[in-house]
Amino acid sequence: MISNAIELAVELLKKEDIIGFPTETVYGLAGNIYSEKAIDTIYRTKQRPSFNPLIVHIKQIEDLNKVAIEIPESAKILAKLFWPGPLTLLLKKHASVPDRITAGKPTVAVRIPNHPVALSLLHQLDFPLAAPSANPFSSISPTSAEHVENYFGDKLPMVLDGGVCKAGIESTIVGFHDDEIIIYRLGAISKEEIEKIVGPVSLLNKNENAPEAPGMLSRHYAPKSTLFLTTNVLEQVKLFPNKKIGLLLFKQPEKEQDVACQIILSPSGNLQEATSKLYASLHELDSMQIDIILAERFPDNGLGRTINDRLERASKNR
Ligand code: TXA
Ligand code: MG
């Protein structure tokens, strides 16, 4: 059930149920971090392997030391600058954070979402919310309440409606190792934006099953149709003469193609606009029973790097 009744969401979360919950990045499946029942329901509903930890959502920066300890100076600077917002910090966990949340790891992932409904909800609760993206394991993340409802329907007592997610892609996850700052997952804040504040950062290499970032399995964010990522869409179209093709393009193409469906993520070539529409467009292509999606590779900088990361994962063989 999609609803904007925050009071109902509060009531359900207090009695250890889970709900679909809006954030500025993607919708989450939210539950009380201290409730074993809620956490079990999240893992079960999402069919998420138990080795893959959950992000903790807090309402204000003052609450950070309730879930994390020994916070590095650069983490504090980034938090002050980007919170509330799509930045998740990997920090040493506070002893009170249940091991189920962190999948037994010594670190906890934490952020403050920048969404009026999410913040209003968090302010009415006296516990943080654990929330992985509200999609079944390895499928496309949801950027609207309808996407969540389509995935889970009656399995959720409610999806709290917060409209379409503005950023439309997950938060950027940043961790700290001695003096090194590492991006564990590219996301709505670009590498360049973070480097402007804290200097050079490294990207975690895309090693499948990397134990440090259990959620970054290489096949992820995948539509049902086969997706090819290419630098030359026009050439690729010729290779599939008898297929129902969906094109996912960055900008207005020079030449129109005769295909079943063509989605232009940002006619004017704006990376932020393209990012915000990426998942919704993949959901749309999936609903059209396309045989093949040909996606155009983005310029490899700023949010283009984040989009390429997701399209690469979406294109991995099943
Ligand atoms: O934008 C977002 O971050 C959304 C919204 C709902 O906040 N959430 C989200 O959660 O994308 P999820 O679970 O789909 O992705 C979180 C990623 C996973 O890859 C998980 O493995 C990683 O964060 N993660 C969580 N806790 C971690 C930890 N303690 N150490 C390493 N990785 C962690
Ligand atoms: Mg996810």
Side-chain angles (χ1 to χ4, degrees):
M1 175 198 59
I2 298 176
S3 159
N4 51 17
I6 291 201
E7 358 28 287
L8 176 60
V10 170
E11 200 182 305
L12 288 165
L13 290 165
K14 281 187 177 163
K15 66 179 183 77
E16 304 184 66
D17 270 331
I18 71 165
I19 63 161
F21 131 106
T23 82
E24 81 282 30
T25 58
V26 301
Y27 274 69
L29 276 184
N32 178 351
I33 67 161
Y34 303 117
S35 159
E36 212 170 298
K37 179 186 157 205
I39 301 315
D40 279 349
T41 316
I42 291 176
Y43 275 102
R44 195 165 6 96
T45 307
K46 197 175 154 74
Q47 295 167 304
R48 176 168 215 156
S50 57
F51 61 78
N52 194 348
L54 307 178
I55 295 183
V56 168
H57 297 73
I58 57 174
K59 60 175 173 251
Q60 56 196 8
I61 209 159
E62 292 76 18
D63 290 352
L64 183 57
N65 57 16
K66 295 182 189 159
V67 294
I69 57 169
E70 297 172 26
I71 301 158
E73 213 40 51
S74 42
K76 288 183 193 159
I77 293 169
L78 288 171
K80 269 201 195 109
L81 218 93
F82 289 110
W83 282 357
L87 171 76
T88 295
L89 297 175
L90 275 184
L91 301 167
K92 204 165 188 186
K93 105 188 212 347
H94 190 286
S96 64
V97 176
D99 287 331
R100 283 281 279 152
I101 293 287
T102 61
K105 294 172 142 299
T107 51
V108 61
V110 54
R111 79 178 190 103
I112 305 179
N114 187 16
H115 188 294
V117 175
L119 286 171
S120 163
L121 177 67
L122 283 164
H123 276 280
Q124 292 175 58
L125 300 168
D126 57 7
F127 47 81
L129 291 173
S133 54
N135 51 287
F137 182 56
S138 95
S139 47
I140 308 161
S141 297
T143 56
S144 71
E146 288 73 23
H147 292 157
V148 184
E149 185 75 1
N150 289 343
Y151 275 141
F152 298 109
D154 293 345
K155 290 198 188 113
L156 286 179
M158 114 178 257
V159 181
L160 181 59
D161 195 0
V164 170
C165 303
K166 279 216 178 90
I169 206 137
E170 293 84 354
S171 59
T172 302
I173 303 182
V174 175
F176 308 84
H177 267 283
D178 302 325
D179 286 336
E180 201 188 354
I181 300 178
I182 301 167
I183 293 187
Y184 283 76
R185 176 178 70 184
L186 290 163
I189 298 174
S190 69
K191 178 169 179 271
E192 288 85 344
E193 279 177 278
I194 290 171
E195 288 185 327
K196 241 188 271 168
I197 314 300
V198 290
V201 302
S202 36
L203 283 183
L204 189 76
N205 60 30
K206 295 173 186 165
N207 181 4
E208 176 142 19
N209 293 332
E212 293 271 38
M216 298 311 282
L217 303 180
S218 61
R219 184 184 150 72
H220 213 134
Y221 312 103
K224 289 183 220 112
S225 329
T226 307
L227 183 146
F228 292 97
L229 179 57
T230 170
T231 43
N232 194 335
V233 172
L234 306 189
E235 283 303 309
Q236 287 276 326
V237 168
K238 292 186 203 149
L239 300 179
F240 304 101
N242 303 314
K243 297 279 189 196
K244 192 172 171 190
I245 295 177
L247 294 188
L248 190 61
L249 305 176
F250 177 22
K251 300 183 253 195
Q252 190 68 44
E254 280 159 29
K255 207 167 122 226
E256 288 296 321
Q257 292 295 304
D258 183 21
V259 290
C261 174
Q262 170 174 291
I263 295 181
I264 298 165
L265 289 169
S266 173
S268 66
N270 177 302
L271 281 171
Q272 192 148 3
E273 183 186 22
T275 309
S276 71
K277 292 191 184 151
L278 178 68
Y279 286 161
S281 304
L282 288 172
H283 280 282
E284 190 184 331
L285 287 166
D286 249 359
S287 71
M288 293 180 64
Q289 321 284 333
I290 296 280
D291 295 325
I292 284 174
I293 300 172
L294 298 178
E296 182 175 22
R297 187 176 282 280
F298 275 63
D300 218 20
N301 57 58
L303 289 172
R305 197 185 282 117
T306 301
I307 296 181
N308 286 338
D309 170 83
R310 298 304 192 272
L311 289 174
E312 271 164 24
R313 291 173 201 282
S315 72
K316 289 280 185 281
N317 291 333
R318 280 142 215 259

